[in-house]
Amino acid sequence: MALIPRLDIAALDAQTVDPLTKGLPFDAPALRLGDIGAQGWNVLRGDVPMPAAVIRQARVEANSAWMAAFTEANGLVIAPHGKTTMAPYLFDLQIADGAWAITVATVQQMQVCRHFGVRRVLMANQPIGRQAVDACFAALADREFELYCLVDGEEGLRQLAEGAGRAQPPADNPLRVLVEVGFPGGRTGARTPETALALARKIAATEGLALAGFECFEGLLPTPEAADELLDVVADLARQAITEGLLPSSGSVIISAGGSAFFDRVGERFNAHDFPAPVLRVLRSGCYLTHDCMGYAAAFERICQQTRLTLPPGGLVPALEVWAQVQSVPEARRALLSMGKRDVGFDAGLPIPQYWYRPGSAMEGPRPMPPGYKTAALNDQHCHLELPEGSDLQVGDLVGFGIGHPCTTFDRWSLLLAVDEDYNVLKAVKTFF
């Protein structure tokens, strides 16, 4: 397995941001990204405006290392889904921990990866339309760049074939294509194994394209058992394609799956199959990096209780928080905080108040939020927090919220702050959504 090199972080460090950037102090000068960690800011001391999206650096590093150990112990490689964070600093952390590729969903995301030096990208989606297709082939003019994409039907294949005809990609750097296998009611993907295998035969016969393997996205399925069935179909198709001689004789055939909820099932099912040629088992989970305190936390608890795979010591822990300040306590049982739908994801559940801190007090650090506090609603710029009877929460207090589905919190911020365990700002994490 060829590893990909670290990214050009120096180029990212050299980019400048100014106080018009959400998350920076209003009186800050224009700063290089690489200099933000040297400003001596502390989130709890009031050095940055509220709300603030923070990444707990030690935790995110531990999560990345844990997943690297998990995949190595279980015969997998990781191509983490970059759409979760769209943050090259975090891509670089994942690459340092052995990521085989970075996964994306769109051509724009692919171009961000290329700009900062990602040398292998798996586009877990179908490029459709002349502009997107031509962008994929234009990227292949760089022979050091490998690109994989998906196809699930005749029309998608036709558009790629026409793009190959226009671009005439280098013979040694074709567009590598995975057949996407789906299920009724799911997202894209060939709905039957017969359709998928017929499509694989046509890809293998198309000039400028190379059949690379088969993949699926199992994350929308309701149960681990349903995920198992789909994963077995992917493995069976790969075996048939190898037997028919559809796949290149050099290199490994790829089988891949992608959710963060059932990543243990990917390992168990893919490893349950034997193949007549080398096979690379690629996991595409992305949310593991910062994890959450809702759906993925529950999924990981199930994995810890049920999996037969090797689990490294430790585990995944929430590393992404959004902090807000109490603006008003207009009623005895309700407070309004400076955080809303423009600042935090809510598609997987309302954010959970986990910590509180009173600036200027004798508190040495944030304390766990006592029982009885609950997010009742979000407006564009306000959070309605239900208070228990006798609450001491005051105007000016800070509350740290845990989140669900990190993708939809990251995309609300062009700049997040990486902090140590005392909430000192270590660096800024720039996103490119």
Side-chain angles (χ1 to χ4, degrees):
M1 180 191 73
L3 297 179
I4 53 177
R6 299 285 296 274
L7 301 191
D8 184 8
I9 293 304
L12 187 58
D13 283 342
Q15 293 196 8
T16 59
V17 290
D18 60 31
L20 297 181
T21 304
K22 178 180 173 182
L24 285 186
F26 311 124
D27 58 352
L31 290 167
R32 297 170 69 256
L33 284 173
D35 293 336
I36 286 177
Q39 302 306 304
W41 297 335
N42 182 281
V43 172
L44 302 181
R45 197 170 57 220
D47 296 332
V48 300
M50 292 288 138
V54 304
I55 297 170
R56 295 175 68 168
Q57 185 68 19
R59 291 187 172 197
V60 82
E61 290 176 356
N63 287 346
S64 182
W66 188 92
M67 184 58 80
F70 171 84
T71 52
E72 182 177 10
N74 293 290
L76 304 169
V77 297
I78 185 80
H81 215 317
K83 73 173 175 62
T84 298
T85 69
M86 284 309 295
Y89 278 129
L90 299 180
F91 296 171
D92 188 60
L93 170 63
Q94 293 168 307
I95 290 168
D97 283 331
W100 173 78
I102 297 295
T103 297
V104 301
T106 69
V107 169
Q108 179 265 341
Q109 293 169 5
M110 175 194 74
Q111 299 289 38
V112 171
C113 289
R114 289 187 61 222
H115 181 82
F116 291 102
V118 178
R119 307 311 300 168
R120 184 182 293 121
V121 168
L122 195 167
M123 187 186 300
N125 212 342
Q126 301 185 71
I128 293 296
R130 181 163 181 156
Q131 187 175 91
V133 169
D134 287 354
C136 292
F137 284 103
L140 298 174
D142 176 1
R143 283 180 163 83
E144 295 183 354
F145 180 71
E146 287 182 25
L147 178 61
Y148 297 75
C149 73
L150 310 186
V151 168
D152 77 347
E154 298 275 354
E155 178 58 24
L157 175 56
R158 183 190 67 79
Q159 292 197 24
L160 289 185
E162 290 182 355
R166 290 190 297 270
Q168 297 293 307
D172 59 349
N173 196 23
L175 181 59
R176 296 160 171 88
V177 181
L178 301 169
V179 176
E180 183 173 22
V181 183
F183 54 91
R187 298 198 313 206
T188 49
R191 289 320 199 229
T192 69
E194 294 77 17
T195 301
L197 188 58
L199 191 61
R201 295 181 182 120
K202 292 180 179 180
I203 294 168
T206 301
E207 189 173 352
L209 306 182
L211 178 65
F214 297 83
E215 71 80 51
C216 67
F217 174 67
E218 79 293 346
L220 294 180
L221 288 165
T223 65
E225 293 74 20
D228 287 353
E229 292 180 10
L230 183 62
L231 294 163
D232 285 341
V233 170
V234 169
D236 287 339
L237 284 167
R239 185 185 305 105
Q240 292 180 65
I242 293 169
T243 301
E244 288 191 27
L246 301 179
L247 290 144
S249 57
S250 61
S252 296
V253 177
I254 292 172
I255 54 175
S256 178
S260 294
F262 297 125
F263 67 79
D264 62 314
R265 308 312 308 157
V266 177
E268 285 200 27
R269 296 318 309 157
F270 282 176
N271 285 325
H273 293 260
D274 294 320
F275 300 94
V279 168
L280 196 65
R281 297 161 172 87
V282 180
L283 180 66
R284 303 194 309 273
S285 303
C287 293
Y288 74 88
L289 189 62
T290 59
H291 202 46
D292 74 1
C293 60
M294 297 186 200
Y296 292 122
F300 187 65
E301 183 176 351
R302 177 199 62 77
I303 289 169
C304 291
Q305 293 172 352
Q306 297 180 6
T307 190
R308 292 185 291 272
L309 295 180
T310 300
L311 295 181
L316 300 177
V317 292
L320 175 60
E321 300 165 1
V322 178
W323 281 76
Q325 196 156 29
V326 179
Q327 293 179 306
S328 175
V329 187
E331 305 169 15
R333 302 292 296 272
R334 179 159 299 223
L336 278 296
L337 283 77
S338 60
M339 175 193 77
K341 293 179 179 178
R342 296 174 183 249
D343 310 303
V344 66
F346 53 92
D347 57 310
L350 293 172
I352 298 174
Q354 293 188 306
Y355 308 101
W356 76 282
Y357 181 79
R358 181 161 294 160
S361 71
M363 295 172 64
E364 294 184 358
R367 295 177 182 172
M369 183 63 79
Y373 291 84
K374 179 183 178 182
T375 302
L378 293 173
N379 302 135
D380 281 0
Q381 310 282 185
H382 292 90
C383 172
H384 297 248
L385 189 65
E386 288 185 2
L387 313 179
E389 186 174 353
S391 168
D392 184 41
L393 200 67
Q394 300 177 10
V395 171
D397 287 354
L398 301 178
V399 177
F401 289 83
I403 57 92
H405 192 201
C407 301
T408 55
T409 291
F410 269 100
D411 68 7
R412 286 162 167 78
W413 295 86
S414 65
L415 201 72
L416 298 91
L417 301 175
V419 300
D420 65 16
E421 291 305 290
D422 294 320
Y423 290 86
N424 296 305
V425 176
L426 302 175
K427 65 181 178 183
V429 176
K430 182 80 174 72
T431 66
F432 293 86
F433 286 98

